[in-house]
Amino acid sequence: MRILLTADAVGGVWQYATDLARALGGREVETVIALLGPPPSAVQRAEAAAIPGARLVETGLPLDWLSDGPAPILAAGAAIAELAGDEHVDLVQLNMPSLGAAAPPPVPVLAVAHGCVSTWWQATCSGEPLPREFHWHRSLTGEGLRAAHAVAAPSAGYARMVARLYGLPRVPAVVHNGRAFAPMANGAMQDCVFTAGRLWDRAKNAALLDRVAARLAVPFHAAGPIAGPHGEAADLRHLHLLGSLDATGMARQLACRPVFVSAARFEPFGLAVLEAAAAGSALVLSDMPVFRELWDGAALFVAGEDEAGWTRAIESVIGDADRRHRLGAAARERAARYTADAMAEAMLRLYARLLAHHPAGRRVAA
């Protein structure tokens, strides 16, 4: 089998696409990774080049959430369809579903919903209507989802959210994200707290964690960019900012099994949480449906935005070594469900059904 995956180098879709391509390569599936948006770093290029059976194509095409209107995205969708034909792939996996609103590729299309402006807005700006300047994005994403031959999402909670918002006839198939983790040599457990992600993104709620950091007697480290591509910037004065970390840097931070915290308001899955769990870190997470789905029984959950409540929850783990060890062990055990191999096997089953039942032309998302 030969497939085309779309990806970008800005967020978690890069990690998802490279992990999936690597796992599929071990199953005799070739992948063409069609990169949209800003160019990858030298480290990312080297990572892609090392994946057996995969080839990175830097298209220079735009990302929908960095575009000011629909025309560039419709043109990008047409270009991806043309690339699929040129590359003689058997199937296209659009990790940006809005691309599917353009002319269809000559092969079956699977749209995977990893996040979009409209679901982000609904979760992050509760009660506020989506601004008119984003209506085109919602329209194209809905068209792309309905035009695909199948739709998937990385969690059941997010799948339901996508189905409701876009009026899909069926809830997308659920394939949990997965990571391939090398065995980690844990060092001595240290009394510190850690978070990671796009700190400029207000859905990650870094401002709340910054206020919590001011209340804690232990260091609170934070990895990730504080400035976004549209000029967004986080003013964080109490978190110990580490900048963006590569895989080695993340492993170094997680080796001491810090208490990992995510106060995210919106998260279709949460790869950083999975990385911390696989390292044996105790998890303190926002009490939202996706985190409950994935980590219930293996994490401490905190509801609301009150920094005093978050501080008490973190201190209750830091101050109780037995509880911290139990939570860390439970997180590591749960993380073993979410592997790259499990993800690849589930995706292969989706691909097989799609290739077996694909009729000529388009049909409503299944």
Side-chain angles (χ1 to χ4, degrees):
M1 190 187 298
R2 181 175 171 83
I3 67 171
L4 185 149
L5 297 175
T6 65
D8 65 75
V10 180
V13 172
W14 172 265
Q15 194 64 67
Y16 166 85
T18 51
D19 279 341
L20 179 58
R22 190 176 296 107
L24 291 174
R27 291 160 173 78
E28 300 184 354
V29 177
E30 296 180 358
T31 57
V32 177
I33 303 174
L35 190 77
L36 295 90
S41 66
V43 170
Q44 287 173 316
R45 284 194 181 99
E47 181 183 5
I51 300 173
R55 187 167 70 87
L56 179 66
V57 177
E58 297 182 38
T59 68
L61 298 169
L63 295 174
D64 54 11
W65 60 281
L66 294 179
S67 182
D68 293 328
I73 305 308
L74 289 169
I80 290 296
E82 184 177 352
L83 179 64
D86 292 343
E87 292 287 341
H88 305 291
V89 298
D90 300 298
L91 181 146
V92 170
Q93 179 177 328
L94 298 178
N95 292 308
M96 191 172 82
S98 56
L99 294 169
V107 293
V109 174
L110 169 65
V112 182
H114 295 279
C116 70
V117 171
S118 294
T119 53
W120 179 94
W121 188 272
Q122 186 179 76
T124 307
C125 308
S126 181
E128 298 180 34
L130 183 72
R132 290 191 62 82
E133 61 263 33
F134 298 133
H135 285 192
W136 69 266
H137 185 282
R138 182 171 62 192
S139 177
L140 282 197
T141 300
E143 288 179 38
L145 289 168
R146 288 185 288 273
H149 297 88
V151 179
S155 62
Y158 189 60
R160 290 190 295 270
M161 188 177 189
V162 168
R164 284 195 304 269
L165 183 63
Y166 290 104
L168 301 184
R170 297 177 183 83
V171 175
V174 177
V175 178
H176 289 134
N177 287 349
R179 292 294 316 275
F181 295 104
M184 182 179 293
N186 290 129
M189 186 178 286
Q190 296 180 13
D191 287 342
C192 59
V193 186
F194 182 50
T195 193
R198 297 188 303 270
L199 302 177
W200 55 266
D201 181 351
R202 56 178 165 152
K204 305 300 182 186
N205 222 353
L208 169 63
L209 298 184
D210 194 56
R211 298 193 298 271
V212 171
R215 293 169 169 261
L216 293 173
V218 297
F220 196 148
H221 307 296
I226 62 170
H230 279 134
E232 310 94 333
D235 181 18
L236 305 172
R237 306 183 181 191
H238 305 291
L239 291 164
H240 177 219
L241 301 177
L242 303 174
S244 297
L245 300 180
D246 60 15
T248 301
M250 281 289 289
R252 188 178 299 117
Q253 286 297 316
L254 293 172
C256 65
R257 286 162 290 163
V259 174
F260 185 88
V261 179
S262 174
R265 301 184 182 106
F266 172 71
E267 196 68 85
F269 182 85
L271 286 172
V273 180
L274 176 55
E275 288 189 55
S281 285
L283 305 178
V284 180
L285 307 175
S286 53
D287 195 355
M288 64 174 187
V290 167
F291 282 163
R292 279 285 184 180
E293 171 190 341
L294 300 172
W295 303 106
D296 199 17
L300 179 63
F301 294 94
V302 183
E305 301 279 320
D306 176 29
E307 58 261 32
W310 280 89
T311 303
R312 287 192 298 272
I314 294 167
E315 288 178 338
S316 74
V317 178
I318 289 283
D320 186 336
D322 287 342
R323 187 184 196 192
R324 186 174 173 187
H325 279 287
R326 288 196 303 273
L327 282 170
R332 194 196 297 266
E333 182 179 357
R334 181 66 56 79
R337 297 181 183 179
Y338 310 125
T339 66
D341 284 336
M343 173 176 64
E345 289 293 340
M347 293 304 291
L348 281 171
R349 290 192 291 272
L350 267 182
Y351 299 161
R353 289 201 296 271
L354 202 53
L355 291 168
H357 298 106
H358 169 55
R362 290 178 160 189
R363 63 184 175 86
V364 172

